């Protein structure tokens, strides 16, 4: 995990508990910032710093070196990811990229002069989806959508839910892992993973080629609902997540259950298709 | 009498061996450029199809001799090693430049650059093969002649 960090930052990170490190923010010529245990803190050469002035200053070279190392020292193998503003490292760390976007023929060609990186560290938390399974799926495996703002554990829960369903039901599961994060952990013995494909392609080709009974995917956008609808109409169950806080913001109410998280990994409300509370 | 024959045989064999060893440099060059040309071809194929990460690509194929050491050193440290006496200074700079470009760009620009290197490497391979054949044969003959000369003079 985090093998791509430059030596200075890697040393600083060794002073903290990696199990509590959720996010690292590298910004050129700015102090090192991290989400540690759910709170944002400054990081110095020997762990958590009391203030920004005591934190480690990240150089532009370190930002670029981190990105190059995270890409496996080869830009060509991650060029499609870079065009979409991220790179997924070897252990599933998702690195968001901020820099100058280069266009060619009206489409994004590359990103240069990278100045900020947001490194999200995946954690496998076995059992975090137990309550959702018990409340929503124990009698019947039905489609569900997990709603929460970014960074509240949707991907971690989806991953654990996939593993649970695989273990308890042995259903054939297709994991549509557009950003390479979902598959950074145990998904169960009956899961097939399609990585880095857009949802439309993955759903369409995956349904034809892999004959799944359940599809699991992350971060639904408005334009992805058509693919989900086609899967549901084909009789395939879908688990998904979305960066939304409220049921009423969901563009199409096509799922059987809506799980709204209330803080980091905390299950808040569970609603049915009509928005009524489920006990 | 038979001791003289034995000694003559040993002297001639030794001189031929020296001749063979003298041509080592050309054999090493031939092998190095042949492997580098093969590496380039494989890399171009990789760029046009599966685009495996560089680390995986480097470990997917086995190389031998000095080129294997270069690839190993590059894979470990991202700094290729060219401490070989059979390469000229210019060739060392070219090789260093070649390796420094690996992975440093999207597939389109990488394909462009390394396709341009195809001609250079094909030329180096052909020249080094020709040299190896010519020099190898020459040094063996020189070794034989030197051996015969020693035998005539000494024995």
């Amino acid at each position: 995990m985090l093998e791509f960090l430059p030596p200075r930052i890697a040393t600083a990170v060794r002073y903290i508990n990696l199990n509590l490190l959720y996010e690292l923010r590298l910004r050129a010529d700015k102090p090192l910032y991290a989400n540690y245990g759910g709170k944002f803190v400054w990081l110095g050469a020997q762990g958590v710093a009391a203030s920004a002035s005591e934190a480690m200053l990240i150089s532009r070279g370190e930002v670029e070196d981190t990105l190059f190392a995270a890409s496996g020292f080869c830009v060509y193998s991650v060029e499609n990811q870079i065009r979409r503003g991220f790179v997924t490292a070897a252990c599933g760390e998702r690195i968001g990229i901020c820099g100058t976007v280069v266009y060619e023929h009206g489409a994004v060609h590359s990103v240069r002069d990278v100045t900020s990186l947001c490194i999200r560290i995946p954690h496998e938390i076995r059992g975090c989806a137990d309550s959702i399974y018990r409340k929503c799926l124990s009698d019947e495996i039905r489609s569900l959508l997990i709603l929460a703002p970014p960074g509240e554990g949707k991907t971690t829960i989806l991953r654990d839910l996939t593993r649970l369903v695989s273990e308890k039901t042995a259903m054939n599961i297709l994991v549509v892992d557009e950003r390479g994060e979902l598959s950074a952990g145990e998904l169960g013995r009956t899961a097939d993973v399609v990585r880095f494909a857009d949802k439309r392609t993955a759903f369409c080709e995956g349904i034809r080629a892999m004959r799944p009974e359940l599809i699991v995917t992350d971060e639904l956008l408005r334009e992805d609902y058509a693919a989900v609808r086609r899967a549901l109409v084909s009789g395939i169950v879908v688990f998904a997540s979305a960066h939304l806080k409220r049921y009423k913001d969901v563009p199409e109410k096509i799922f059987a259950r809506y799980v709204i998280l209330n803080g980091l990994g905390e299950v808040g409300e569970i609603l049915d298709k009509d928005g009524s509370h489920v006990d | 009498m038979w001791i003289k024959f034995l000694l003559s045989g040993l002297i001639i064999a030794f001189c031929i061996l020296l001749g063979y060893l003298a041509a080592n440099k050309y054999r090493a060059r031939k092998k190095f450029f042949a492997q580098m040309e093969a590496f380039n071809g494989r890399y171009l194929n990789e760029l046009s199809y599966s685009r495996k990460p560089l680390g995986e690509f480097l470990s997917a194929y086995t190389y031998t001799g000095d080129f294997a050491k270069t690839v190993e050193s590059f894979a470990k440290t991202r700094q290729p090693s060219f401490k070989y006496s059979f390469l000229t200074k210019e060739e060392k700079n070219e090789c260093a430049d070649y390796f420094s470009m690996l992975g440093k760009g999207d597939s389109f620009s990488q394909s462009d650059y390394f396709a341009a290197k195809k001609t250079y490497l094909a030329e180096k391979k052909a020249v080094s093969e020709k040299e190896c054949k010519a020099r190898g044969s020459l040094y063996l003959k020189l070794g034989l002649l030197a051996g015969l000369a020693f035998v005539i003079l000494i024995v």
Side-chain angles (χ1 to χ4, degrees):
Chain A
M1 189 67 75
L2 298 175
E3 298 291 331
F4 50 84
L5 288 177
R8 226 173 42 116
I9 304 171
T11 307
V13 161
R14 264 185 227 124
Y15 282 91
I16 59 175
N17 183 349
L18 271 185
N19 291 325
L20 298 177
L21 182 63
Y22 300 124
E23 215 174 273
L24 259 182
R25 297 257 180 173
L26 273 60
R27 295 173 172 121
D29 305 321
K30 296 198 179 138
L32 182 58
Y33 207 35
N35 181 332
Y36 187 55
K39 277 187 351 189
F40 274 96
V41 298
W42 304 105
L43 283 188
Q46 292 181 343
V48 178
S51 65
S53 54
E54 289 172 36
M56 178 187 291
L57 217 56
I58 304 300
S59 69
R60 196 173 192 143
E62 280 172 323
V63 172
E64 286 173 356
D65 289 345
T66 302
L67 183 61
F68 192 47
S71 72
F73 302 100
C74 55
V75 175
Y76 66 79
S77 71
V78 297
E79 60 185 74
N80 287 329
Q81 291 176 50
I82 288 176
R83 282 181 194 129
R84 285 148 74 194
F86 73 96
V87 164
T88 303
C91 296
E93 305 95 326
R94 192 174 88 185
I95 302 160
I97 303 164
C98 245
T100 304
V101 179
V102 177
Y103 284 88
E104 192 175 74
H105 306 306
V108 176
H109 177 64
S110 65
V111 179
R112 66 172 169 86
D113 299 335
V114 175
T115 51
S116 299
L117 299 175
C118 171
I119 304 169
R120 291 180 51 181
I121 297 118
H123 293 282
E124 189 176 358
I125 302 174
R126 289 206 149 209
C128 64
D130 283 353
S131 68
I132 294 175
Y133 186 89
R134 206 175 48 249
K135 291 174 185 172
C136 303
L137 306 172
S138 51
D139 59 332
E140 182 194 332
I141 303 296
R142 45 172 67 85
S143 295
L144 66 78
L145 181 67
I146 301 174
L147 305 174
E152 293 211 350
K154 296 184 297 299
T155 305
T156 308
I157 288 173
L158 266 181
R159 198 184 294 124
D160 195 51
L161 201 56
T162 308
R163 180 192 61 80
L164 267 175
V165 170
S166 174
E167 273 174 18
K168 291 186 186 295
T169 68
M171 280 173 89
N172 289 308
I173 305 171
L174 177 69
V175 178
V176 174
D177 193 3
E178 196 168 359
R179 295 188 168 235
E181 276 183 295
L182 266 176
S183 52
E186 179 56 50
L187 292 168
R189 282 174 286 196
T190 58
D192 306 309
V193 185
V194 176
R195 295 177 93 218
F196 305 122
D198 63 274
K199 289 187 182 62
R200 188 172 163 223
T201 304
F203 269 65
C204 184
E205 303 309 323
I207 289 170
R208 282 185 212 168
M210 300 308 294
R211 213 172 58 80
E213 293 161 280
L214 162 66
I215 296 178
V216 180
T217 191
D218 210 1
E219 296 183 12
L220 278 193
L221 297 175
R222 187 177 284 271
E223 57 264 29
D224 300 323
Y225 279 80
V228 173
R229 219 183 314 114
R230 267 201 293 280
L232 293 174
V233 154
S234 312
I236 299 167
V237 178
V238 177
F239 293 170
S241 67
H243 287 318
L244 295 168
K245 282 174 84 167
R246 303 177 301 184
Y247 165 82
K248 67 179 189 176
D249 295 326
V250 176
E252 294 183 38
K253 313 293 195 275
I254 53 177
F255 291 87
R257 291 289 182 269
Y258 297 84
V259 179
I260 301 170
L261 299 186
N262 185 22
L264 185 61
E266 294 290 323
V267 175
E269 294 181 287
I270 297 179
L271 307 175
D272 68 11
K273 192 166 182 157
D274 303 317
S276 312
H277 283 266
V278 170
D279 292 323
Chain B
M1 190 68 183
W2 66 267
I3 292 174
K4 274 190 183 176
F5 276 126
L6 185 65
L7 194 60
S8 307
L10 283 173
I11 289 169
I12 291 169
F14 180 71
C15 289
I16 291 174
L17 177 66
L18 285 179
Y20 179 81
L21 292 173
N24 248 359
K25 167 183 165 177
Y26 300 97
R27 271 192 298 279
R29 267 179 77 81
K30 174 188 155 188
K31 197 172 176 183
F32 185 88
F33 284 117
Q35 294 210 64
M36 194 165 173
E37 200 226 12
F39 176 91
N40 193 58
R42 286 169 183 158
Y43 189 60
L44 282 168
N45 277 343
E46 193 63 44
L47 288 169
S48 66
Y49 189 58
S50 55
R51 296 178 194 168
K52 273 198 282 271
L54 193 58
E56 264 181 59
F57 168 74
L58 291 174
S59 57
Y61 300 97
T62 316
Y63 300 97
T64 54
D66 297 309
F67 190 74
K69 288 182 203 151
T70 301
V71 170
E72 214 179 282
S73 141
F74 178 74
K76 279 195 186 133
T77 63
R78 301 291 146 194
Q79 297 293 330
S81 159
F82 298 109
K83 288 182 186 149
Y84 311 125
S85 55
F86 57 79
L87 290 177
T88 64
K89 193 174 174 189
E90 194 199 310
E91 285 167 350
K92 285 180 188 172
N93 288 338
E94 280 281 351
C95 291
D97 193 49
Y98 179 96
F99 274 87
S100 74
M101 286 302 290
L102 284 172
K104 296 253 178 81
D106 64 359
S107 55
F108 186 74
S109 56
Q110 289 275 282
S111 297
D112 249 1
Y113 178 86
F114 288 98
K117 288 293 175 185
K118 235 173 139 175
T119 315
Y120 169 80
L121 289 170
E123 236 173 66
K124 282 286 172 189
K125 182 187 171 188
V127 166
S128 60
E129 268 172 10
K130 200 172 162 183
E131 246 176 22
C132 178
K133 195 174 176 182
R135 298 281 181 151
S137 159
L138 173 67
Y139 289 157
L140 278 176
K141 286 173 189 163
L142 283 175
L144 176 64
L145 282 173
L148 285 171
F150 271 121
V151 163
I152 291 165
L153 286 171
I154 298 164
V155 183

